[in-house]
Amino acid sequence: MDVKTLILYGKKRLINVTDTPRLESEILLADILKIKREKLLAYLNENVSLDNEKTFKTLIEKRKNHYPLPYIIKHKEFMGIDFFIKQGVFIPRPETEILVEEALKIASSKKVRILDIGTGSGCILLSFLHYNKLSKGIGIDISEIAIKTAIENASRLGLLERAAFIQKDFKNISSNDTFDIVVSNPPYVKTSQCKNLYFEPVEALDGGEDGFHFYPMLIEKAYRLLKNNGTLIIEIDEGIEKRIEETMRKSGFKGIKIIRDLAGLPRVAEGTKNG
Ligand code: GLN
């Protein structure tokens, strides 16, 4: 089959799986042919080898069964940077870019020490350090595969000298008054909704019955970890912003702000330790 026929074949198979079936079909085929997607358009009438056609059809079936595209092609773009991703690691979401942009704004190109709790692929910490060249940071996660992936990403981005990754439960971090910025995208999906999530690690998403499970501990811990005038920036879900605000205030945070995402939903909470 030629490129054009295969793209259309893939598009048809994926029509009920994604809003962008043609795009995903093109991405998969380009990945197999090891060329940029834009280049595919120049080869529409070229024949694809039988081996590649077979591989393509197998991957299309995987995707048809809701296997996430980033796990197939092993990468995902976040903050304009390509991150290595594999199964077992949370897939970066576009709405999390707001959190990184907020952290960059607060640091305003100055040298800061930043901590990322539940770092996953490392995308938050590493994109921050990529755009703020003076700073250093630590990412922690309880998942071994996450830490290995984050280190791989740090290595690919040339950030090993400024980023350290440690496998650890955030409750066991002992240092106090250490960081200028603490960021986190903790699990906040309600347990009842987690059964709809295919293939991603449930421990990165399951935020308990009401999605709020991790926040009280996280906020309290972050307060202790921050230097005076340091800032906590966390991702939140819609509907819990009032509870988040209240919990942050009770822990001592000042200047609490809730920032909405492009869909207009409360997505990031931020506050400063000012004691
Ligand atoms: N925004 C993610 C989702 O809805 C959840 C992220 C999280 O739990 N931190 O899939």
Side-chain angles (χ1 to χ4, degrees), residues 90-91 93 95-96 184-190 193 197 200 202 204-207 215 235-237 267:
F90 179 75
I91 300 167
R93 306 287 203 272
E95 60 267 30
T96 305
S184 183
N185 175 16
Y188 60 67
V189 178
K190 295 186 184 78
Q193 284 167 12
L197 298 162
E200 280 186 280
V202 71
L205 292 148
D206 188 349
Y215 289 103
E235 185 164 322
I236 61 166
D237 201 4
R267 188 56 63 209

Side-chain angles (χ1 to χ4, degrees), residues 149-167:
T149 305
I151 291 171
E152 172 68 31
N153 277 317
S155 160
R156 290 184 185 197
L157 294 167
L159 288 170
L160 280 175
E161 308 224 314
R162 294 194 287 128
F165 291 97
I166 305 164
Q167 189 186 355

Side-chain angles (χ1 to χ4, degrees), residues 16-78:
N16 295 320
V17 178
T18 160
D19 294 336
T20 51
R22 178 172 176 123
L23 177 66
E24 294 203 15
S25 180
E26 287 178 7
I27 291 173
L28 279 174
L29 189 54
D31 197 68
I32 291 164
L33 300 178
K34 298 188 175 60
I35 55 173
K36 289 219 178 296
R37 186 176 67 86
E38 299 74 28
K39 276 257 174 85
L40 263 188
L41 303 175
Y43 297 119
L44 283 179
N45 297 319
E46 297 278 323
N47 249 330
V48 174
S49 76
L50 211 58
D51 265 5
N52 283 337
E53 181 180 323
K54 260 197 196 149
T55 309
F56 177 71
K57 288 182 172 170
T58 308
L59 296 186
I60 287 288
E61 286 321 292
K62 253 186 151 173
R63 184 66 192 114
K64 194 170 157 52
N65 291 321
H66 298 270
Y67 195 67
L69 187 70
Y71 287 164
I72 301 178
I73 59 174
K74 300 272 190 315
H75 58 101
K76 169 81 184 172
E77 197 245 79
F78 179 82

Side-chain angles (χ1 to χ4, degrees), residues 2-273:
D2 62 17
V3 167
K4 190 172 59 197
T5 314
L6 280 177
I7 290 174
L8 291 177
Y9 167 92
K11 178 191 163 183
K12 260 198 185 152
R13 304 286 297 159
L14 298 183
I15 227 139
N16 295 320
V17 178
T18 160
D19 294 336
T20 51
R22 178 172 176 123
L23 177 66
E24 294 203 15
S25 180
E26 287 178 7
I27 291 173
L28 279 174
L29 189 54
D31 197 68
I32 291 164
L33 300 178
K34 298 188 175 60
I35 55 173
K36 289 219 178 296
R37 186 176 67 86
E38 299 74 28
K39 276 257 174 85
L40 263 188
L41 303 175
Y43 297 119
L44 283 179
N45 297 319
E46 297 278 323
N47 249 330
V48 174
S49 76
L50 211 58
D51 265 5
N52 283 337
E53 181 180 323
K54 260 197 196 149
T55 309
F56 177 71
K57 288 182 172 170
T58 308
L59 296 186
I60 287 288
E61 286 321 292
K62 253 186 151 173
R63 184 66 192 114
K64 194 170 157 52
N65 291 321
H66 298 270
Y67 195 67
L69 187 70
Y71 287 164
I72 301 178
I73 59 174
K74 300 272 190 315
H75 58 101
K76 169 81 184 172
E77 197 245 79
F78 179 82
M79 289 294 290
I81 303 167
D82 209 31
F83 284 93
F84 165 63
I85 297 295
K86 63 177 168 185
Q87 187 166 5
V89 179
F90 179 75
I91 300 167
R93 306 287 203 272
E95 60 267 30
T96 305
E97 293 183 351
I98 301 168
L99 191 159
V100 179
E101 277 156 13
E102 202 52 33
L104 288 166
K105 229 188 279 169
I106 284 163
S108 68
S109 313
K110 287 202 279 289
K111 180 178 177 177
V112 296
R113 260 176 73 77
I114 180 169
L115 172 70
D116 180 9
I117 296 175
T119 196
S121 63
C123 67
I124 296 176
L125 178 66
L126 294 171
S127 56
F128 177 88
L129 295 177
H130 175 84
Y131 291 112
N132 176 319
K133 305 277 182 224
L134 298 174
S135 296
K136 288 189 175 172
I138 297 176
I140 63 159
D141 204 296
I142 44 167
S143 153
E144 186 185 358
I145 185 163
I147 291 299
K148 282 187 173 155
T149 305
I151 291 171
E152 172 68 31
N153 277 317
S155 160
R156 290 184 185 197
L157 294 167
L159 288 170
L160 280 175
E161 308 224 314
R162 294 194 287 128
F165 291 97
I166 305 164
Q167 189 186 355
K168 203 178 185 58
D169 186 327
F170 77 89
K171 295 183 223 72
N172 301 333
I173 316 174
S174 50
S175 52
N176 287 335
D177 311 314
T178 312
F179 296 96
D180 301 287
I181 296 177
V182 173
V183 288
S184 183
N185 175 16
Y188 60 67
V189 178
K190 295 186 184 78
T191 304
S192 59
Q193 284 167 12
C194 278
K195 57 178 180 303
N196 301 327
L197 298 162
Y198 309 85
F199 305 109
E200 280 186 280
V202 71
E203 66 271 23
L205 292 148
D206 188 349
E209 212 178 309
D210 53 3
F212 203 75
H213 177 74
F214 288 98
Y215 289 103
M217 288 176 283
L218 178 66
I219 290 168
E220 198 183 304
K221 191 74 184 178
Y223 192 83
R224 263 186 280 146
L225 287 164
L226 283 166
K227 295 179 192 169
N228 203 21
N229 290 321
T231 304
L232 170 66
I233 313 168
I234 45 177
E235 185 164 322
I236 61 166
D237 201 4
E238 53 172 311
I240 58 171
E241 63 275 19
K242 286 276 166 306
R243 278 178 84 186
I244 294 278
E245 259 188 279
E246 198 183 301
T247 310
M248 286 179 74
R249 193 170 305 116
K250 276 191 187 143
S251 290
F253 282 100
K254 303 271 160 52
I256 300 160
K257 265 201 325 196
I258 303 288
I259 300 154
R260 288 172 185 269
D261 62 19
L262 293 175
L265 302 171
R267 188 56 63 209
V268 167
E270 138 190 345
T272 301
K273 172 172 176 174

